[in-house]
Amino acid sequence: MMSSPPPPPLPTAPTDTSIEYLSLTAESLSAQNAHRAMLLDLEARKRAATIDVPTLPGQVRDALRNLGEPIRLFGEDLAAIRQRLRMVLARAEIMREEELGGIAGVDEQMLLPGMRAEMQEKEEEITEVTYTHASMELIHARRVIFDYSVERSRRRLDLERRLRKGMVRWTRGKKRARLFNKDDEEEDDYLGKTYLSLKDDSLLVKELDEKCEKVYKTVRTQALEGSQYGDVRPLSAVCTSSLSLECDGRMPKLIATGGWSGGIKIWNGGDDHNMSKNGGSKTDVSPLDLLGAKSIVHEDRIMGIAMRPYLASTVSIDGVFTMVATASIDLTAKLCKVKLNPDSSSDSMDLDEAKNNEKNLYSIEECAHLTGHAARLCSVAFHPTGRYVATTSFDHTWRLWDVETSNLEEGRELLLQDGHAREVYGVGFHPDGSLVATTDFGGVVQCWDLRTGKSACHFLGHAKRVVCSEFSPNGFQLATAGDDGTIKIWDLRRRRPSASIPAHTNLITQLKFAHSTSPQNGEFLASSSFDGTGKIWSTRDWKLLTTLQGHEGKVMGIDILDGPDCGIVTCGYDKTLKLYFGQRVIN
């Protein structure tokens, strides 16, 4: 047999060494590295928005220090520092993927200082979202808030349904009732009952419209009733007393002010405020008469003040009428009880004698110190139940405190909530007690659900800082204002703005809706501004009703007195406290 021929030899690589490989020039290498750096920066910018970073300045500094980065560069503010930390973490994440083969073309020389060691130590690290376990006190508080908000919302929604049905009868007549889909045999009886129900509801709508007309006529006749020098330094905050649903009796009208001197003063808000422990009138005083004072409450300026709603459970105990909460730039908030002074409550002592004896009708006693914020405090607000108080601070957080269990030694903190990228300033509670709105210097408005601890929604639309927020008594509108001079009305049901009011020419310092427990029925909104004016707006069409003038300079705060007189009180940088009353409409 003949053997097969051997296979042909395999081709071999050319062994020609005449081919010369040239290295890139320095200019080409520089251009290539610049291109790679640009790609890295673009990818890092995309991922930076999805990376969570701490909000507290101290935690941000620690994170930068651990990464070997400068703590602060020249000209950087807190927001810029947090953004730089995001970029550093985004680049580190890209480098990890490059080592695992995820992204090609990234040079190891592009790593930032300290990033290589951090990558080697955390190659297999998994980022997880962690939640803080709620304390038993916070769980109990959420249950209390839930029970309270459910009952309040039920009442509010029942009234809203009646008003809507009344509007059907009031605007479209009896024919609207025939739109109900019922069986033929039951139609006549059902329509008859529906007509009677709609007739009663329409009478309610007619009554509310008539009251609104009287309120607007009263507001349009607002005039300066009195003016007082409130302090030796500018007044920075003012608040008034209000009634809660559980306390419908005749209670005194009080005004509380706080100023740069760190003291608190209580003033008369009307002639019908003086009450003894048994409820009888004792002395005759004039509006804006000084009723109580405490010269030193804080070591520095008071930035926010709030008065607890009158509660039936506390008014009759030891002569305590209400409680005042203050927030200061000395990093503390304080709670003070306002009590009837036993030395001035006797029948034989009149006002002149009380003044001569330097005894005020009311005494102010500190009852709790709330400490824990890492930066200056801005605003304070009482929950509608009167059992909790919220504070905001420049440390990018807001906190919820328990009023009942706090004392002079320690304030009982229930909740520490972060989530704002800038300084938190404004705070306001929903009338049902279910939500709280906070604002920050970045123009962000956050609504938090107190029953679950989660963010319910947020609003963006202000061009500059937002410094105040206030919920409407109707429960579905939120008013915010700030440095851009506009008032924005947000619809909580649709989660979008429903109105934008070019209200003032300068920063708006405070917003207040009319009371819902009086004939005012939340029919108007009051605002104060650095432009030296206060203004009253209709909540039905957001038109201007009247302008309050009289301050020589910035108006630092505004509030509304409960009652048919629609009293408005303002405080200003000119150290004065001013009271405006309208002419009450009888017919």
Side-chain angles (χ1 to χ4, degrees):
M1 295 180 61
M2 294 180 64
S3 62
S4 60
L10 295 174
T12 59
T15 58
D16 188 5
T17 59
S18 63
I19 300 177
E20 182 180 1
Y21 295 92
L22 300 178
S23 61
L24 295 177
T25 63
E27 183 178 356
S28 299
L29 287 174
S30 177
Q32 189 179 39
N33 292 333
H35 181 68
R36 290 178 179 178
M38 183 182 65
L39 294 178
L40 174 63
D41 187 69
L42 289 176
E43 183 67 22
R45 288 181 183 275
K46 293 179 182 179
R47 301 194 183 190
T50 63
I51 294 179
D52 295 328
V53 297
T55 56
L56 294 179
Q59 296 179 358
V60 174
R61 289 194 298 268
D62 294 340
L64 290 172
R65 187 180 291 110
N66 294 334
L67 294 173
E69 289 293 308
I71 295 177
R72 190 165 192 166
L73 300 179
F74 180 77
E76 276 189 333
D77 56 6
L78 295 179
I81 296 175
R82 294 181 73 250
Q83 181 63 25
R84 181 160 58 87
L85 177 60
R86 282 196 182 95
M87 294 295 294
V88 171
L89 295 177
R91 291 191 179 97
E93 183 177 335
I94 294 173
M95 295 306 160
R96 295 191 194 97
E97 294 184 1
E98 165 60 18
E99 289 194 350
L100 297 176
I103 299 178
V106 180
D107 196 348
E108 186 179 352
Q109 296 179 356
M110 299 168 64
L111 289 172
L112 296 174
M115 197 177 293
R116 297 185 182 88
E118 189 264 344
M119 290 173 53
Q120 294 175 358
E121 294 176 358
K122 302 181 180 180
E123 286 181 354
E124 299 180 356
E125 180 182 358
I126 300 176
T127 304
E128 297 180 354
V129 179
T130 59
Y131 295 91
T132 304
H133 291 281
S135 62
M136 293 304 298
E137 293 82 0
L138 179 57
I139 294 175
H140 175 71
R142 286 175 175 169
R143 290 174 179 170
V144 172
I145 293 173
F146 173 80
D147 295 338
Y148 179 85
S149 63
V150 167
E151 179 62 24
R152 288 289 296 268
S153 60
R154 183 187 64 80
R155 296 181 185 178
R156 178 174 56 83
L157 293 177
D158 288 345
L159 178 60
E160 183 70 19
R161 294 188 188 98
R162 290 192 60 190
L163 293 177
R164 287 182 177 272
K165 292 179 180 179
M167 288 301 296
V168 170
R169 173 72 176 93
W170 186 252
T171 57
R172 300 187 181 181
K174 182 181 177 180
K175 293 182 180 180
R176 179 69 176 179
R178 298 188 179 276
L179 294 178
F180 292 97
N181 186 14
K182 287 290 179 179
D183 296 335
D184 294 339
E185 60 273 12
E186 299 178 355
E187 183 175 0
D188 294 336
D189 182 61
Y190 177 77
L191 289 179
K193 294 180 180 179
T194 302
Y195 175 73
L196 294 177
S197 175
L198 291 178
K199 184 177 180 180
D200 294 338
D201 295 337
S202 65
L203 293 177
L204 175 61
V205 174
K206 182 179 179 181
E207 181 182 357
L208 290 178
D209 288 343
E210 292 176 351
K211 289 182 178 180
C212 180
E213 292 179 2
K214 293 181 180 180
V215 168
Y216 286 172
K217 289 181 180 178
T218 303
V219 170
R220 289 190 179 98
T221 60
Q222 288 280 350
L224 184 62
E225 181 73 16
S227 179
Q228 283 275 20
Y229 270 101
D231 206 340
V232 296
R233 300 192 67 189
L235 296 177
S236 55
V238 63
C239 66
T240 61
S241 57
S242 61
L243 293 175
S244 63
L245 292 179
E246 64 180 67
C247 186
D248 299 329
R250 181 171 174 265
M251 298 304 298
K253 295 181 181 179
L254 301 179
I255 303 171
T257 59
W260 286 13
S261 62
I264 300 176
K265 291 186 179 180
I266 304 297
W267 310 83
N268 174 23
D271 293 335
D272 57 349
H273 80 97
N274 282 298
M275 309 277 292
S276 67
K277 293 181 180 180
N278 299 326
S281 179
K282 291 299 179 183
T283 58
D284 294 329
V285 294
S286 302
L288 294 187
D289 274 346
L290 183 63
L291 304 180
K294 189 174 181 60
S295 58
I296 301 177
V297 178
H298 288 277
E299 298 177 356
D300 213 324
R301 290 175 289 175
I302 294 177
M303 300 304 298
I305 191 169
M307 190 175 294
R308 184 181 189 178
Y310 284 127
L311 303 175
S313 59
T314 60
V315 168
S316 60
I317 300 177
D318 298 330
V320 176
F321 277 97
T322 184
M323 185 179 292
V324 174
T326 56
S328 172
I329 66 174
D330 63 0
L331 310 187
T332 65
K334 293 188 179 181
L335 301 177
C336 298
K337 293 181 179 179
V338 179
K339 304 173 60 177
L340 186 66
N341 195 336
D343 297 333
S344 61
S345 61
S346 61
D347 297 338
S348 60
M349 179 176 290
D350 58 8
L351 182 62
D352 293 335
E353 184 178 353
K355 290 181 178 179
N356 295 333
N357 295 337
E358 297 183 356
K359 293 292 185 178
N360 293 315
L361 295 177
Y362 296 94
S363 62
I364 302 174
E365 299 179 4
E366 294 184 22
C367 59
H369 292 179
L370 311 180
T371 59
H373 280 288
R376 58 183 290 181
L377 276 69
C378 304
S379 301
V380 62
F382 272 102
H383 189 267
T385 60
R387 299 181 58 176
Y388 312 104
V389 65
T391 57
T392 60
S393 172
F394 272 29
D395 62 5
H396 301 196
T397 68
W398 66 272
R399 306 189 185 211
L400 188 69
W401 311 82
D402 191 344
V403 174
E404 304 295 338
T405 58
S406 298
N407 50 48
L408 294 175
E409 289 76 19
E410 180 184 8
R412 182 58 60 89
E413 178 186 305
L414 297 177
L415 177 64
L416 166 60
Q417 183 66 60
D418 57 5
H420 284 275
R422 298 290 301 276
E423 296 86 344
V424 187
Y425 203 97
V427 62
F429 283 103
H430 192 277
D432 295 344
S434 56
L435 303 175
V436 60
T438 56
T439 66
D440 65 21
F441 280 6
V444 179
V445 181
Q446 286 275 7
C447 289
W448 309 88
D449 192 338
L450 293 172
R451 300 162 297 185
T452 62
K454 297 180 179 180
S455 175
C457 58
H458 69 277
F459 300 107
L460 298 173
H462 284 279
K464 297 181 180 179
R465 301 176 297 177
V466 188
V467 299
C468 52
S469 62
E470 185 79 5
F471 282 98
S472 171
N474 60 27
F476 61 85
Q477 289 179 324
L478 171 66
T480 59
D483 213 358
D484 56 4
T486 62
I487 301 175
K488 293 191 178 295
I489 310 298
W490 310 92
D491 193 327
L492 299 178
R493 301 168 299 183
R494 300 179 180 180
R495 298 189 179 185
R496 65 182 185 184
S498 60
S500 182
I501 310 171
H504 295 271
T505 59
N506 209 330
L507 182 143
I508 299 176
T509 55
Q510 198 166 3
L511 297 175
K512 285 293 179 180
F513 277 98
H515 295 274
S516 60
T517 56
S518 68
Q520 300 173 9
N521 196 32
E523 295 288 358
F524 60 90
L525 171 68
S527 63
S528 59
S529 171
F530 276 6
D531 62 7
T533 64
K535 294 185 178 182
I536 312 298
W537 309 87
S538 167
T539 56
R540 298 202 172 193
D541 52 12
W542 306 111
K543 292 184 179 180
L544 180 65
L545 295 176
T546 187
T547 300
L548 308 177
Q549 297 179 344
H551 284 281
E552 297 179 359
K554 305 173 183 177
V555 181
M556 307 294 287
I558 193 170
D559 208 340
I560 303 171
L561 288 169
D562 207 346
D565 293 332
C566 301
I568 308 293
V569 59
T570 60
C571 67
Y573 194 79
D574 57 2
K575 312 172 189 177
T576 63
L577 176 71
K578 297 186 184 298
L579 180 62
Y580 301 84
F581 274 123
Q583 184 178 358
R584 188 183 303 183
V585 179
I586 305 299
N587 296 325

